Structures are given as C-alpha cells and as structure tokens.
Amino acid sequence: MILNLDKGFTPYGTENEVQYNSFTYAGGEPHIKITSEITPNQEINITQRITSFNDVGLILIAANALRNMGIKKINLFIPYFPAARQDRLMVSGEPLTVKVYAELINNLKLNKVTVFDPHSEVTPALLNNCEALNNYKFIETITKSLPKDVLLISPDGGALKKIYKVAAYLQDFEVIECSKSRDVKTGNLSGFKVYHEDLKGKDCLIVDDICDGGGTFLGLAKELKAKNAGKLHLAVSHGIFSKGFETLNKTFDTIYTTDSFRTISDKDNAIQINISQLLK
C-alpha cells in the first residue's frame, strides 16, 4: 500500500493508496490520522516531498502511526533529501545538517529509504538501508529532444564524477569540464572557467543535481558563450528555483527538471519530467 503524504506527488500512483487526514495544530505541530484499514502484515510505501521541516515531521508521525497499527515493514521515498548540500564542515560553528536529518530518518528503523540523485555520496552513506536512484534516465529523456552532438557540461568539480557516469551510460556524448570558486564564508561565486577553447557553436546541456538561486549556472553561461557555445540548456534533478525563472529564461533556451521538490507551473517556462516516468 502507498501513503502519499504530498497529494501532488504520487510517484507510485494512487492505486491501493492509504487514506488519512492531516492538519497542523495552532502551535505549529503536524498531525495525522490514518483512516484506512491496514493489517499488520502489509508493506507500506511512504512518499513525501520535503520543502520544510514540517514535511519531515509529517513523515516521523506517519511512521509512528503505522507502527502503532502493527505495521512492521515500512519503506520511504523522499526524492530530494534535505540539507544534502550541507555534507561537510566548512566553517567553525556550523552543523553537519545532512547528518541531523539522516539520524531522524534512521531512528524510524525503516525497511528501505529511497532518494533520487543525491548531492554526494555522503547522503546514502549516512542513511540506513538506502537506495540511491541515479539521474541517467532523466538525462537520457532530455537528450532525445536535443541535437545528437550536444555537449554535456559539468559545472564544477563536484559534478564531474557523476556526469562522466551519465556520459558512459548514454555513450557518444562529449563532456566539457568547468569550475568555479566559492567563498565559504559569504557564499559568493567567482572565477568561472570552461576548460575548452572553442565549443564550435554546439548546443550545451549543463547537468547538475540542484538549482537553488541559479547563480552557478548564470555565471557559467557567460563563460560558455565566450567559448563559442550554441544554445544553452539546463538540466537539474531538483528544481528549487528560489529566485524564480525570469533571469534563467533569458539565459537558457530550455530548463529541465523533475517534480522531486515541487510542481512547476506552466508559466515558469520549464519542462518538468515527473519522477513517475523515470521509475517505469
């Protein structure tokens, strides 16, 4: 059976869906009451998109409610794992936030935890019984609509290992390596570099896991154009887009993302590929 905690996100469909009521108390605490009849021998798959700490809280209390009903086998699918970017201690006084979230999930003693395209190897290493889904089918779906000689662009060193794995899976796609500098105290970006002298007017597809404000991709786009890039396309597994689409749409011919974080509206002028398509 499936317990979809976000009604707008149903990656496994709605057949055999667990019914429930949920609300938030005036004090800010999430609450849930499962109304379906469930027998203890049934396996439950919880799905949830996390955009706030209360979304995590709903997972915690939902799992507890299921345990109270005698359910022993619970799986969890959270495509965007929160704080996955905070996987290293860079400045004194900051938390290792990804570990905090992982410990909360681990305390549920789940049968399996599935995440989609984690930011680094740290997340699946910290999560017990973790299954990490790669972005291969996502990028493969995108490249089918682009020129066959499109270049795959790695925005920085952190993305390099994953993009070469994608290229090996797809075959026949050239990878262009790039880099940037980030001030760990301020977060300011600078020093964008493209390690190729002439891109010969070819279309470029920047591939990364997360787009938050988009500063990395906007800075890189200028350098790609300076190296004779053709049309620019952006593919991000998790689209937060905290600063909107206006500037990104002026820079990129196409923006691709999934519904792992939120549902993109038609007016945002981005192409969203539902994760349900990638699970088939």
Side-chain angles (χ1 to χ4, degrees):
M1 299 184 74
I2 303 168
L3 175 54
N4 294 313
L5 295 178
D6 180 340
K7 293 298 185 182
F9 180 68
T10 57
Y12 301 132
T14 56
E15 189 176 355
N16 296 320
E17 191 173 28
V18 175
Q19 301 301 311
Y20 66 91
N21 298 315
S22 67
F23 61 89
T24 303
Y25 283 108
E29 308 94 333
H31 182 70
I32 191 169
K33 179 176 176 56
I34 295 172
T35 57
S36 291
E37 293 291 333
I38 306 175
T39 56
N41 63 340
Q42 288 181 293
E43 181 175 350
I44 306 297
N45 294 292
I46 300 175
T47 72
Q48 174 70 311
R49 289 191 292 194
I50 297 178
T51 62
S52 71
F53 198 80
N54 257 18
D55 293 333
V56 179
L58 192 57
I59 293 172
L60 303 180
I61 63 173
N64 181 261
L66 292 170
R67 295 296 189 203
N68 293 338
M69 298 176 76
I71 305 300
K72 294 179 173 58
K73 198 168 186 180
I74 303 174
N75 304 314
L76 174 64
F77 182 28
I78 38 177
Y80 171 74
F81 194 80
R85 289 173 290 177
Q86 292 172 285
D87 59 359
R88 292 180 295 168
L89 292 175
M90 303 294 292
V91 181
S92 177
E94 291 187 345
L96 187 60
T97 315
V98 68
K99 186 178 180 182
V100 175
Y101 281 97
E103 288 175 345
L104 287 172
I105 300 300
N106 288 341
N107 284 335
L108 298 176
K109 295 180 172 53
L110 301 172
N111 179 62
K112 183 172 69 172
V113 180
T114 303
V115 297
F116 173 60
D117 195 13
H119 179 67
S120 69
E121 296 175 349
V122 175
T123 295
L126 289 173
L127 283 169
N128 296 338
N129 306 319
C130 180
E131 177 187 28
L133 304 179
N134 60 52
N135 66 341
Y136 300 173
K137 287 187 177 180
F138 173 52
I139 302 303
E140 181 180 37
T141 301
I142 293 168
T143 54
K144 288 178 180 178
S145 64
L146 297 176
K148 292 184 178 180
D149 63 347
V150 65
L151 303 173
L152 301 183
I153 309 298
S154 173
D156 51 38
L160 196 56
K161 184 177 180 181
K162 287 201 294 184
I163 202 168
Y164 272 116
K165 288 183 178 180
V166 172
Y169 173 81
L170 297 176
Q171 301 183 356
D172 299 326
F173 285 92
E174 183 180 357
V175 173
I176 303 298
E177 300 182 17
C178 304
S179 68
K180 68 185 179 195
S181 298
R182 183 190 296 273
D183 188 317
V184 296
K185 292 184 178 179
T186 65
N188 291 336
L189 300 171
S190 62
F192 292 95
K193 293 181 180 179
V194 177
Y195 296 101
H196 202 288
E197 289 306 313
D198 186 2
L199 301 177
K200 299 180 180 180
K202 293 183 179 180
D203 282 15
C204 296
L205 176 66
I206 301 176
V207 178
D208 210 351
D209 59 316
I210 300 170
C211 179
D212 192 334
T216 292
F217 310 119
L218 295 172
L220 182 57
K222 293 180 181 179
E223 294 304 311
L224 288 169
K225 283 297 186 181
K227 294 297 180 72
N228 195 25
K231 292 182 178 179
L232 300 181
H233 310 277
L234 175 64
V236 287
S237 298
H238 311 291
I240 299 174
F241 303 117
S242 59
K243 295 185 179 179
F245 287 83
E246 184 177 358
T247 304
L248 289 170
N249 285 332
K250 291 178 181 177
T251 302
F252 294 96
D253 288 84
T254 323
I255 300 170
Y256 301 91
T257 190
T258 74
D259 60 342
S260 68
F261 185 78
R262 66 184 179 92
T263 300
I264 305 300
S265 67
D266 293 337
K267 67 179 181 179
D268 291 327
N269 197 27
I271 296 175
Q272 186 168 73
I273 298 170
N274 292 340
I275 284 182
S276 59
Q277 298 175 236
L278 306 177
L279 295 177
K280 295 177 181 179

